[in-house]
Amino acid sequence: MGTKTITITGEGEPFLHRSLSDILTVVKGEGFQVTLVTNGTLLDRRDIQHLIDSRVDSLRVSLLACTPLEYENNYPGTDPIFLTRVIEGLKLLARIKTEQESKFPFVVLHHPINRTNVRTMGAMVDLAHATGVNALSFSPWKTFRGKFASWSLTKDDEQVLRSSLSRISQRLNALSIKHNVQELIQRYDIGCAVWQMLPCYIAWSHARILVDGTVLACHRSDLSMGNLHNDSLERIWNGSAYRAFRNRARDLGGPAPLHEDCDCGFCGFVINNLDVHRYIKWFLPFVPGSSRRQSRT
């Protein structure tokens, strides 16, 4: 089907899966680009060596905090010793890569921004430098349909963030650490209610497959497109559920807004959608059944 990239996220921590090494070996052996998403608490020498040997393309480590106190605030009930494990694991990974002169995996430290850590982003830059990661990425806080809305940024918090991003960008550039600061600014400019701004095109290029075989259009949707135990991915991809999802997603002013069934707030694919929409928007008025309402982006 022309798939190029497989991202392994798990529905928990991927390193807890006893067959993860076999999965990575098989997927890389088939020629895919592979990204592995982890919380980083289980990085040890054996697993690091397998990441290098199997030439996993990218390792993305999500971390909300950079100090023990901040860790306790962001991971209630979790021992801050896990923060130490993440830091030591990343340092070990950087050291082994240097010793073996390997560029694999490309390591991204990912930092979702919320009310408890928005004023300590400079410390996260220090941590990225100290651990030897290749990139530091940021994202707006995900509320999970409002469940964690109390941790979202206030207007004052967002102003603090915006005033600090230029300085953070300059520091990361000076340290030769890649980043997505400009993309982060775009995401805040678009805002949380992305469904009011532009259509979604992710269902033309992406699928999420759960461990039980359920196929979803993306990680923000609970709408099943089918199940691999019942049908092939190709038939599901071209099936009626996917076609209906795509029609809803492209229709900004349609009668059944997609965000009613998907957790679209601060969608992580919004920049991808924006890039596609710059070209597609000129053709949407001529697509049968599509609303003529124009996006605001």
Side-chain angles (χ1 to χ4, degrees):
M1 293 175 62
T3 303
K4 297 180 180 179
T5 301
I6 291 183
T7 300
I8 299 174
T9 64
E11 293 177 59
E13 169 51 46
F15 280 106
L16 288 173
H17 198 298
R18 62 178 178 267
S19 298
L20 178 62
S21 294
D22 295 332
I23 293 170
L24 294 175
T25 298
V26 169
V27 173
K28 282 303 300 181
E30 293 294 331
F32 292 103
Q33 293 182 346
V34 176
T35 294
L36 179 63
V37 181
T38 173
N39 63 27
T41 58
L42 298 178
L43 280 174
D44 58 22
R45 183 173 291 274
R46 182 193 64 181
D47 288 327
I48 287 172
Q49 191 60 58
H50 188 77
L51 293 174
I52 294 173
D53 291 343
S54 59
R55 300 171 71 86
V56 167
D57 298 274
S58 177
L59 182 75
R60 176 172 163 173
V61 180
S62 298
L63 187 62
L64 290 168
C66 53
T67 67
L69 178 59
E70 195 172 70
Y71 194 87
E72 289 185 31
N73 291 334
N74 279 277
Y75 302 89
T78 304
D79 193 326
I81 189 64
F82 288 104
L83 173 61
T84 302
R85 292 181 183 178
V86 175
I87 294 173
E88 293 306 313
L90 288 171
K91 288 181 177 179
L92 179 61
L93 173 55
R95 186 162 62 249
I96 295 176
K97 283 177 61 179
T98 299
E99 291 171 354
Q100 300 183 14
E101 298 182 347
S102 174
K103 66 177 183 179
F104 297 100
F106 183 90
V107 182
V108 180
L109 183 60
H110 181 66
H111 186 53
I113 302 168
N114 61 33
R115 293 190 67 182
T116 73
N117 62 29
V118 67
R119 287 169 170 79
T120 59
M121 291 176 63
M124 187 58 69
V125 174
D126 294 335
L127 182 60
H129 180 51
T131 53
V133 300
N134 302 105
L136 177 59
S137 67
F138 304 99
S139 66
W141 181 245
K142 181 180 176 181
T143 69
F144 291 93
R145 296 185 182 275
K147 184 178 180 180
F148 299 105
S150 62
W151 287 15
S152 297
L153 300 188
T154 64
K155 290 184 177 180
D156 288 342
D157 291 331
E158 187 173 330
Q159 186 58 44
V160 168
L161 170 65
R162 287 178 179 272
S163 66
S164 67
L165 287 179
S166 176
R167 181 174 65 257
I168 288 171
S169 176
Q170 291 173 5
R171 281 199 62 206
L172 289 168
N173 290 338
L175 293 169
S176 298
I177 298 175
K178 296 184 182 299
H179 59 84
N180 68 338
V181 169
Q182 190 56 47
E183 176 183 305
L184 180 70
I185 294 172
Q186 282 185 286
R187 292 182 67 179
Y188 277 108
D189 287 344
I190 292 171
C192 178
V194 297
W195 59 89
Q196 296 177 354
M197 302 297 290
L198 75 163
C200 175
Y201 302 101
I202 196 61
W204 276 270
S205 63
H206 176 89
R208 175 163 184 165
I209 301 172
L210 305 185
V211 293
D212 66 357
T214 300
V215 179
L216 307 176
C218 79
H219 66 290
R220 294 295 190 91
S221 173
D222 296 324
L223 296 172
S224 174
M225 303 291 103
N227 192 289
L228 292 181
H229 292 295
N230 303 323
D231 224 333
S232 70
L233 181 58
E234 186 170 10
R235 287 178 62 87
I236 293 171
W237 182 258
N238 295 306
S240 59
Y242 244 119
R243 291 200 303 271
F245 187 98
R246 292 175 183 129
N247 286 335
R248 287 181 64 188
R250 78 181 182 199
D251 201 358
L252 193 63
L258 196 63
H259 74 278
E260 293 181 357
D261 294 306
C262 302
D263 186 13
C264 296
F266 275 128
C267 173
F269 294 118
V270 68
I271 301 302
N272 304 76
N273 287 330
L274 181 60
D275 290 340
V276 174
H277 192 64
R278 287 193 177 103
Y279 301 96
I280 299 296
K281 65 181 180 181
W282 304 108
F283 302 98
L284 283 180
F286 306 102
V287 176
S290 178
S291 169
R292 291 181 177 271
R293 179 181 167 189
Q294 293 293 314
S295 76
R296 296 167 56 192
T297 303

